[in-house]
Amino acid sequence: MPLEPLLPLFHRLNREHFDGALVHGVQPVLSVRWSDGRMRRTAGMYRRGPGVAPPLGREIVLSRPLLDPLPRSATESTLCHEMIHAWVDLVLRVEESHGPNFRARMAQINRTQSRFEVSVRHRFPVPVKPARWMAVCPCCGRAVPYRRKVRNAACRPCCERHHGGVWHASCLLRFEPIVPSVSDVDG
């Protein structure tokens, strides 16, 4: 489905599920936009801060790469999810992620309509990036794949077993690059 403009959808959801609380007059109190193509692992996000979407300082961004191939209900569900975050922050003035206020509004929205379902976690297909690193514990030899190096990461089982559950440099993971096999490259 081609990407649709988000503002008309935002205004409809705001009227239907937020009693118009996310607009001042006719203007949204936050920016709403599609991502520029870089959001590939998250369907949407609500952000706020001094450098975010000047002059408003808050925005909802939906992932163009993830939502473009999916049905409209995926866009509605994701936008509504992010609007709940904005509503909890801007209207209730509560600092929570998926806490009781978020879950209560989500349940209310799901009870009152059937076009889409809002959930805490989206179940959209996300392309999986292969691991580039193997993290190896110098104590036990356990190897775990990682997509990126993590500074000061230690083997938790060894820290628990040998150091009372406290991080210790002797358990610091060693990151080794994973060399793709010929079959992985030819695909």
Side-chain angles (χ1 to χ4, degrees):
M1 167 182 194
L3 294 175
E4 64 180 291
L6 290 174
L7 273 179
L9 183 55
F10 170 87
H11 283 293
R12 181 174 57 77
L13 292 173
N14 183 47
R15 277 190 315 275
E16 292 175 359
H17 305 296
F18 301 96
D19 300 318
L22 297 176
V23 298
H24 183 65
V26 294
Q27 293 291 11
V29 295
L30 67 159
S31 170
V32 180
R33 67 178 179 88
W34 286 107
S35 72
D36 58 7
R38 289 184 286 184
M39 279 177 59
R40 298 187 177 277
R41 306 213 34 88
T42 302
M45 73 168 100
Y46 167 69
R47 306 182 323 149
R48 70 173 298 156
V52 175
L56 298 172
R58 49 204 171 259
E59 72 177 349
I60 290 174
V61 184
L62 298 188
S63 170
R64 181 183 303 261
L66 289 181
L67 295 172
D68 185 29
L70 299 177
R72 184 173 201 258
S73 61
T75 299
E76 285 184 284
S77 170
T78 303
L79 180 57
C80 197
H81 174 111
E82 302 309 329
M83 289 173 73
I84 297 172
H85 283 300
W87 179 79
V88 168
D89 179 37
L90 302 171
V91 175
L92 299 183
R93 299 190 183 279
V94 174
E95 216 172 293
E96 69 175 32
S97 183
H98 297 115
N101 294 297
F102 180 95
R103 288 175 185 271
R105 181 53 61 132
M106 178 181 73
Q108 178 187 9
I109 291 169
N110 287 335
R111 269 194 315 273
T112 60
Q113 57 83 43
S114 59
R115 287 187 318 272
F116 59 89
E117 183 179 351
V118 181
S119 61
V120 171
R121 298 273 181 253
H122 302 293
R123 305 269 187 262
F124 304 142
V126 175
V128 178
K129 280 186 167 179
R132 294 180 52 215
W133 302 94
M134 190 62 69
V136 181
C137 174
C139 298
C140 68
R142 181 174 176 235
V144 179
Y146 276 71
R147 284 194 299 275
R148 60 182 176 84
K149 288 183 180 183
V150 178
R151 286 179 79 135
N152 296 320
C155 177
R156 175 173 286 162
C158 286
C159 286
E160 288 174 357
R161 188 177 311 121
H162 304 297
H163 305 286
V166 177
W167 180 94
H168 195 271
S170 67
C171 305
L172 199 60
L173 298 175
R174 183 179 69 245
F175 285 86
E176 302 170 354
I178 295 175
V179 180
S181 67
V182 175
S183 61
D184 291 340
V185 175
D186 292 338

